[in-house]
Amino acid sequence: MRTVLGDVDPARLGPVAVHEHVLFDIVPPGATGDRDVPIQIEDRWQVDYRSNEAPANAHQTDADAAARELAWFAEEGGSVIVDQSVAGLARDAAGLAAASKASGVHVVAAAGRYTDAYLSPEMRAMEVDALTDLFTAEVVEGLDGTPIRAGLIGEMGCSWPMTEAERRALRAAARAARATGAALSVHPGRAPGACMEILDLVEEEGHALSRTILCHMDRTHPDGGGIAALLDRGACVEWDFFGIEQSHYWMGETELPMDRDRVRLIARFAEAGHADRILVSQDICTKTRLRGWGGHGYGHILRNVVPLMRRLGLDPDLIDRLIRTNPLRLLTLKETQA
């Protein structure tokens, strides 16, 4: 497994938070408001309720604050965290390495890029071959001029409908995944048909769907409808909004499940034979979901959801697959498929 401090043996590692943001800037381009105003305690709940609608809440780029959050994760038993902050989200490989070293938590960085809205015109204009070379180099050589290498490709940002630039980038990501043996993680557009379109394109490029992770099942298929077809094709699916339990969804009118609903859906698909291709995480990308700002932090699944899984009758082996075995298998670099 490739971390920001070097390659490690996955067999030595414990629980994984497979889809998080440790250092990030996800403020929507063109957003108004003070990015740097402190979040006051009397405003914290309301800011969190509207989440990344507040520019001051939607970025955290302080490596020392990140190290503190990772240390809390370690206290909960966490071993590995994957920062899926790709290009466009203020990826900071050196900052991740500093936070990893200070906290003792293994950190995996990500190759790739986010949706078009977050990218420069120059990056949006890149062709498939150039993007393939770039994403491959991010895994085998280093990120953004550093020798720190990525251990995962994605979350590759896709809008709905996908733009032509996003299609080119996704094709390149699939090719780079084949060339490097890294798994591919994809942020789908917010529409029921988005995931199938993504799988079609990835399959065309010859990347194994068993090494392809479809993120954000919570908001793309909130009631579970449509997920069985993705699993039947061999893809991995990820519920990564654990800890978000509220009526307001700042990205639209989707009625999100609560943690209890997520666990019950996961149990249903596991019982249908898909336990090896289900992932869980929290996708923290705002300050108010971090413990330093009064949130649940990266240890929420370990601290709160695992006991909930036990109460709802999930088998201990399934729980171990969700929080350790499945993500470590995907984070293990495989022999190239080319």
Side-chain angles (χ1 to χ4, degrees):
M1 192 187 79
R2 181 151 295 161
T3 79
V4 295
L5 297 181
D7 291 357
V8 297
D9 179 0
R12 298 171 36 222
L13 304 176
V16 181
V18 71
H19 188 130
E20 305 297 340
H21 299 274
V22 176
L23 295 169
F24 57 88
D25 186 339
I26 200 164
V27 177
T32 59
D34 190 343
R35 291 174 53 96
D36 300 313
V37 63
I39 298 170
Q40 303 296 334
I41 188 65
E42 61 268 24
D43 299 323
R44 185 234 165 254
W45 189 93
Q46 185 62 31
V47 170
D48 183 63
Y49 188 73
R50 303 200 72 85
S51 198
N52 67 350
E53 292 178 23
N57 197 27
H59 66 100
Q60 202 304 96
T61 56
D62 184 333
D64 291 336
R68 179 181 60 181
E69 297 290 335
L70 295 183
W72 277 319
F73 177 60
E75 289 175 4
E76 303 287 354
S79 179
V80 181
I81 197 161
V82 183
D83 183 307
Q84 296 208 25
S85 301
V86 289
L89 298 180
R91 180 173 58 196
D92 180 359
L96 292 177
S100 176
K101 187 173 182 179
S103 65
V105 172
H106 297 283
V107 177
V108 176
R113 64 183 224 185
Y114 202 51
T115 58
D116 276 13
Y118 287 80
L119 304 176
S120 67
E122 293 76 17
M123 181 161 274
R124 285 198 297 271
M126 291 179 70
E127 296 296 335
V128 174
D129 288 348
L131 288 165
T132 302
D133 291 344
L134 173 62
F135 300 155
T136 300
E138 289 178 340
V139 176
V140 301
E141 297 176 13
L143 290 159
D144 306 322
T146 77
I148 298 166
R149 299 182 292 174
L152 178 77
I153 298 176
E155 57 179 315
M156 292 299 301
C158 296
S159 307
W160 182 262
M162 261 194 283
T163 70
E164 286 306 311
E166 289 168 353
R167 287 178 183 276
R168 293 195 301 272
L170 184 57
R171 288 192 184 279
R175 295 179 188 182
R178 287 188 62 203
T180 62
L184 172 62
S185 175
V186 187
H187 163 108
R190 286 184 291 277
C195 289
M196 276 297 184
E197 183 180 19
I198 287 163
L199 293 185
D200 289 344
L201 191 153
V202 170
E203 198 167 48
E204 285 176 14
E205 295 299 334
H207 177 62
L209 297 190
S210 62
R211 301 275 295 165
T212 302
I213 305 163
L214 296 166
C215 309
H216 315 327
M217 291 298 100
D218 323 59
R219 55 82 161 155
T220 310
H221 298 287
D223 63 357
I227 294 176
L230 306 174
L231 289 163
D232 287 343
R233 288 189 65 174
C236 297
V237 297
E238 183 176 274
W239 279 266
D240 47 36
F241 280 20
F242 274 95
I244 300 176
E245 300 189 285
Q246 60 193 50
S247 300
H248 175 69
Y249 177 43
W250 50 98
M251 293 289 191
E253 290 304 318
T254 300
E255 185 174 336
L256 297 178
M258 297 202 309
D259 284 357
R260 178 185 60 244
D261 307 316
R262 295 178 177 103
V263 172
R264 286 175 171 161
L265 282 172
I266 287 167
R268 188 179 95 198
F269 289 114
E271 289 167 5
H274 301 299
D276 287 339
R277 281 177 289 109
I278 299 172
L279 299 165
V280 297
S281 208
Q282 296 134 153
D283 194 14
I284 292 174
C285 55
T286 52
K287 290 188 178 88
T288 51
R289 294 183 66 207
L290 294 166
R291 286 186 63 180
W293 285 267
H296 53 66
Y298 300 115
H300 168 65
I301 286 177
L302 300 179
R303 186 173 65 250
N304 299 319
V305 178
V306 167
L308 174 63
M309 291 175 173
R310 294 186 185 122
R311 294 199 303 272
L312 292 176
L314 270 66
D315 185 88
D317 177 67
L318 174 57
I319 296 174
D320 185 66
R321 291 190 200 193
L322 295 171
I323 66 172
R324 181 180 179 275
T325 306
N326 290 353
L328 286 177
R329 184 186 73 249
L330 287 159
L331 292 171
T332 302
L333 297 178
K334 295 294 186 182
E335 292 185 6
T336 60
Q337 303 166 49

